[in-house]
Amino acid sequence: DIQMTQSPSTLSASVGDRVTITCRASQSISSWLAWYQQKPGKAPQLLIYKASSLESGVSSRFSGGGSGTEFTLTISSLQPDDFATYYCQQYNSYSGTFGQGTKVEIK
Amino acid sequence: QLQLQESGSGLVKPSQTLSLTCAVSGGSVSSGGYSWGWIRQPPGKGLEWIGYIYHSGSAYYNPSLRSRITVSVDRSKNQFSLNLNSVTAADTAVYYCARGAFGYKPPYFDYWGQGTLITVSS
């Protein structure tokens, strides 16, 4: 199984900050990576697919990058609505494994 | 707009079978190229992929759960279902149904249901 590891687990930031979350795969997954945002009590929402493609309707503040085993999700200027937990998911192998999540908190 | 809605018993006794259904509206489970999946989230924890199915009936399961899972699709009712047998407290979670993006295997998920909490307890 491919393991996905996100860092940091928790991130404290202020409105307007540029923040970056990292997701590492235990083996190469090419660009087969998605990012989701989840708010408390809500279902995850797709942000990015194929590592860097922005899902329709998602703010351009969000961008994704990377390939192979290392990937990033960047929020260019953190807004109040962006405080949430973010998950990566690989969809290269048989099992579409998720990362453990990164919680973005208000500093 | 595609919508998915989970339904099922919220409380299941240990060793029994958890059964959930996901009703799809605004789209069809018979649409070629899409898959229909289940993901769960234990309280306070992260997401775990359970399995997904195509309209043809071809299903793919998380290896750690494969021996206990059945995912099926009912094209006449435009819904798909999850059965998880021999449940324990470790299966307590919010269960989400979701649509797998077109043409990907395994898929990422572009539409999600709101989720339903299933508690395993005697």
Side-chain angles (χ1 to χ4, degrees), chain A:
Chain A
D1 272 8
I2 298 177
Q3 307 302 316
M4 306 301 293
T5 304
Q6 291 181 230
S7 60
S9 296
T10 305
L11 188 160
S12 296
S14 302
V15 172
D17 284 353
R18 179 183 179 89
V19 302
T20 298
I21 299 167
T22 298
C23 179
R24 289 185 174 86
S26 59
Q27 63 190 73
S28 178
I29 58 169
S30 185
S31 295
W32 305 121
L33 186 98
W35 288 97
Y36 302 87
Q37 178 194 67
Q38 186 179 36
K39 296 179 180 177
K42 300 293 187 182
Q45 176 189 352
L46 177 68
L47 299 175
I48 302 280
Y49 62 95
K50 206 173 179 184
S52 61
S53 296
L54 192 68
E55 173 70 351
S56 176
V58 174
S59 171
S60 58
R61 296 195 304 278
F62 295 94
S63 62
S67 66
T69 62
E70 187 153 335
F71 302 86
T72 57
L73 173 70
T74 298
I75 309 172
S76 60
S77 177
L78 200 64
Q79 297 302 300
D81 192 48
D82 301 337
F83 291 96
T85 301
Y86 295 84
Y87 293 93
C88 62
Q89 182 215 351
Q90 66 83 13
Y91 53 102
N92 177 74
S93 75
Y94 176 85
S95 297
T97 334
F98 291 90
Q100 82 279 16
T102 294
K103 185 176 182 179
V104 177
E105 295 182 330
I106 300 173
K107 190 172 186 179

Side-chain angles (χ1 to χ4, degrees), chain B residues 18-21 38 50 69-72 80-84 95:
Chain B
L18 179 162
S19 296
L20 292 172
T21 296
W38 292 96
I50 297 172
I69 296 176
T70 303
V71 177
S72 58
F80 59 105
S81 300
L82 167 70
N83 281 348
L84 177 66
Y95 285 75

Side-chain angles (χ1 to χ4, degrees), chain B residues 60-80:
Chain B
Y60 301 84
Y61 302 140
N62 186 323
S64 69
L65 299 170
R66 183 184 297 144
S67 63
R68 299 196 289 132
I69 296 176
T70 303
V71 177
S72 58
V73 63
D74 186 335
R75 291 184 292 276
S76 67
K77 294 183 178 179
N78 207 32
Q79 63 187 33
F80 59 105

